């Protein structure tokens, strides 16, 4: 009997190790989601073991998976960025560097393939929520004592300690908190319908914590613009018409009440929309929104000069440098990003790039038609990225870009798997 057990143990160990090859890639993706709110370098290092683990999956159906538009379009945009180096007049190091922001989109087809086959996407969503919750709690501590900011240890270059910002910047932090707050609405409603009030109350507390941090600790104008629209999207898609109208009306009333009790920082942030316009347009001084308007004006002119194929990959900074000659104030600013995703693509790759960009967004939107947490998270990620990309190039930015890659890839795979089961 002992000999039989000894013979079976190695086989069971080998079987366990072999079976773990399906769970291991998901664990590394969960680690990536855990690190994303905190560190850029750690995320890049976590990608390496995930790619190695992905290579051990059953990849026989992978080539066929790549032929779907949801996978082909991210690849097409990256290929356009690579080919666009051929007609750019920027220095070659700048051309190669400019491919990087788009290159992360190549991960989307890998994630879709993985999570379409193995049901571990919940691990990744949970890891991201836990990590953002820790960041939210820490942001309150940094609001009390800015010296607690981790920028001293996690920033690679010069940093500025700011109240309430634990790492990176207020835009990344607010985008992550807004995503978590709105994403929690779906499970809260589902739990309440099933009578699980304690867990629902916990999620409500987390959502309130994220919103409180966005209102009273760090305020982002991008989040202020996108958050109400995301709430309306949820109400229209997941609530009955009468309930949706009631929810939208209640949200409007709540917004009025919160505005009357809002802290000075929130009022000042909203007031800056008009103030920035006056400062930059009338006074030719640098400001947040006013500078963006100047960037957009120049970018439209650059696009008109090369409407079909653009000026090539990495050409944005050189174009702004030439346009700044003889100028002063905000008109003399030289940037490598016009702070609008459409214009970022149009200046570099013209109408061809814009067509691929919008086809990518709408293909991913259509992927999340349906019920379930995966469809809600995926839809939320795409809509948030599209809206915030009006004021920033968030598909190409690091944190927001990786949120899009992880959200679409993981939720997309889960949504496809659910549709396969239903059919």
């Amino acid at each position: 009997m002992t000999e039989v057990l000894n013979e079976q143990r190695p086989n069971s160990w080998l079987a366990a190790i072999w079976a773990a090859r399906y769970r291991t890639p998901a664990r590394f993706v969960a680690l990536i989601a855990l690190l994303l709110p905190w560190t850029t370098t750690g995320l890049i290092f976590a990608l390496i073991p995930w790619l190695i683990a992905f290579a051990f999956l059953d990849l026989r159906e992978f080539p066929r998976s790549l032929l779907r538009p949801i996978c082909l379009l991210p690849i097409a945009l990256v290929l356009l960025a690579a080919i666009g180096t051929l007609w750019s007049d920027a220095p070659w190091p700048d051309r190669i560097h400019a491919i990087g922001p788009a290159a992360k989109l190549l991960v989307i087809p890998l994630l879709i393939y993985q999570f379409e086959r193995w049901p571990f996407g919940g691990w990744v969503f949970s890891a991201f929520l836990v990590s953002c919750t820790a960041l939210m709690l820490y942001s309150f501590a940094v609001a009390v004592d800015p010296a607690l900011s981790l920028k001293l240890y996690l920033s690679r270059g010069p940093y500025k300690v700011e109240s309430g910002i634990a790492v990176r910047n207020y835009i990344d932090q607010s985008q992550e908190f807004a995503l978590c707050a709105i994403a929690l609405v779906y499970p809260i409603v589902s739990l309440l319908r099933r009578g699980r009030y304690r867990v629902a109350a916990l999620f409500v507390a987390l959502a309130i914590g994220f919103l409180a941090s966005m209102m009273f600790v760090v305020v982002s104008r991008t989040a202020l613009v996108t958050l109400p629209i995301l709430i309306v999207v949820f109400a229209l898609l997941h609530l009955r018409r009468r309930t949706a109208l009631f929810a939208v009306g209640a949200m409007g009333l709540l917004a009025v009440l919160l505005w009357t009790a809002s802290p000075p920082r929130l009022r000042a942030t909203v007031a800056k929309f008009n103030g920035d316009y006056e400062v930059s347009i009338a006074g030719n001084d640098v400001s947040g929104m006013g500078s963006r308007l100047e960037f957009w004006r120049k970018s439209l002119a650059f696009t008109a000069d090369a409407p079909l194929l653009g000026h090539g990959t990495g050409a944005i900074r050189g174009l702004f440098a030439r346009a700044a000659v003889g100028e002063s104030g905000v008109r003399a600013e030289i940037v490598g990003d016009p702070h609008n995703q459409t214009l970022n693509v149009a200046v570099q790759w013209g109408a061809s790039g814009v067509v691929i960009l919008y086809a990518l967004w709408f293909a991913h939107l259509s992927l999340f038609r349906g019920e379930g947490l995966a469809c809600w998270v995926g839809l939320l990620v795409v809509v948030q990225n599209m809206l915030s990309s009006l004021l920033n190039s968030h598909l190409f930015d690091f944190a927001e870009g990786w949120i899009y890659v992880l959200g679409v890839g993981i939720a997309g795979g889960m949504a496809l798997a659910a549709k396969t089961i239903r059919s």
Side-chain angles (χ1 to χ4, degrees):
M1 185 66 178
T2 304
E3 293 178 356
V4 172
L5 290 175
N6 288 335
E7 290 177 359
Q8 290 180 345
R9 280 174 186 168
N11 292 332
S12 63
W13 293 343
L14 291 173
I17 294 172
W18 184 246
R21 78 188 193 279
Y22 297 112
R23 296 188 294 271
T24 300
R27 288 171 176 160
F28 281 124
V29 178
L31 176 61
I32 292 170
L34 197 68
L35 294 172
L36 176 56
W38 297 87
T39 172
T40 58
T41 306
L43 185 150
I44 298 301
F45 280 114
L47 277 174
I48 299 172
W50 169 69
L51 290 172
I52 295 173
F54 182 86
F56 286 93
L57 300 178
D58 184 354
L59 300 178
R60 286 175 294 181
E61 297 296 320
F62 185 56
R64 183 181 301 176
S65 174
L66 294 177
L67 297 178
R68 297 176 292 189
I70 55 175
C71 297
L72 269 180
L73 289 166
I75 297 172
L77 190 58
V78 178
L79 285 176
L80 182 60
I83 297 172
T85 60
L86 300 178
W87 62 83
S88 174
D89 61 357
W92 271 104
D94 292 346
R95 303 186 205 185
I96 301 301
H97 183 266
I99 300 174
K104 68 174 76 72
L105 298 176
L106 294 176
V107 176
I108 292 178
L110 308 184
L111 292 172
I112 288 176
Y113 184 81
Q114 176 181 337
F115 287 93
E116 187 179 1
R117 285 155 177 78
W118 298 286
F120 302 114
W123 291 4
V124 185
F125 293 159
S126 300
F128 185 75
L129 178 62
V130 169
S131 186
C132 286
T133 299
L135 183 62
M136 177 261 291
L137 296 174
Y138 198 80
S139 72
F140 283 107
V142 177
V144 176
D145 184 3
L148 294 174
S149 174
L150 295 177
K151 285 189 173 187
L152 174 63
Y153 310 102
L154 300 180
S155 294
R156 289 179 293 179
Y159 71 95
K160 177 183 177 183
V161 173
E162 299 175 80
S163 176
I165 303 176
V167 292
R168 293 208 198 97
N169 56 71
Y170 71 96
I171 296 178
D172 293 352
Q173 187 169 296
S174 296
Q175 288 290 105
E176 292 157 354
F177 290 178
L179 178 64
C180 289
I182 305 302
L184 284 170
V185 174
Y186 187 93
I188 289 171
V189 172
S190 300
L191 289 166
L192 290 175
R193 287 172 177 170
R194 289 181 287 168
R196 300 183 62 183
Y197 300 113
R198 291 184 178 179
V199 182
L202 174 61
F203 284 170
V204 168
L206 287 179
I208 292 174
F210 287 123
L211 294 174
S213 178
M214 292 170 60
M215 288 187 60
F216 296 97
V217 178
V218 175
V219 182
S220 166
R221 284 175 291 182
T222 303
L224 289 176
V225 171
T226 59
L227 192 61
I229 299 176
L230 295 175
I231 295 174
V232 172
V233 168
F234 175 82
L236 294 177
L237 290 178
H238 297 286
L239 299 178
R240 296 176 181 176
R241 182 176 300 179
R242 182 178 299 178
T243 307
L245 291 174
F246 175 80
V248 172
M251 184 188 70
L253 179 61
L254 180 61
V256 173
L257 294 175
L258 288 174
W259 177 254
T260 59
S262 61
R265 177 177 296 187
L266 178 60
R267 292 174 180 249
T269 299
V270 175
K272 273 177 66 61
F273 278 105
N274 183 61
D276 284 357
Y277 176 83
E278 296 293 335
V279 166
S280 294
I281 303 302
N284 193 29
D285 291 326
V286 176
S287 67
M289 193 62 202
S291 295
R292 278 178 168 84
L293 293 174
E294 180 63 20
F295 300 157
W296 298 346
R297 184 189 66 80
K298 288 184 177 180
S299 296
L300 287 171
F302 300 152
T303 303
D305 292 336
L308 294 180
L309 295 176
H311 295 270
T313 305
I316 296 177
R317 183 172 293 277
L319 291 169
F320 273 93
R322 289 191 287 273
V325 175
E327 299 287 354
S328 61
V330 67
R331 298 183 184 89
E333 278 199 276
I334 300 174
V335 296
D337 175 16
H339 293 277
N340 177 281
Q341 187 65 61
T342 302
L343 292 175
N344 188 308
V345 170
V347 171
Q348 296 184 89
W349 311 301
S352 57
V354 174
V355 169
I356 295 175
L357 171 67
Y358 277 83
L360 179 149
W361 272 333
F362 286 111
H364 290 160
L365 276 177
S366 65
L367 174 62
F368 300 115
R369 292 181 299 180
E371 291 292 328
L373 179 61
C375 284
W376 168 237
V377 171
L379 180 69
L380 176 61
V381 168
V382 178
V383 173
Q384 184 191 44
N385 188 268
M386 292 178 69
L387 291 174
S388 63
S389 289
L390 295 173
L391 301 174
N392 300 278
S393 300
H394 271 172
L395 190 63
F396 290 170
D397 287 343
F398 188 90
E400 291 80 7
W402 275 108
I403 288 173
Y404 187 90
V405 168
L406 293 176
V408 171
I410 297 163
M414 295 170 66
L416 289 172
K419 292 175 182 177
T420 302
I421 293 174
R422 286 195 296 268
S423 61

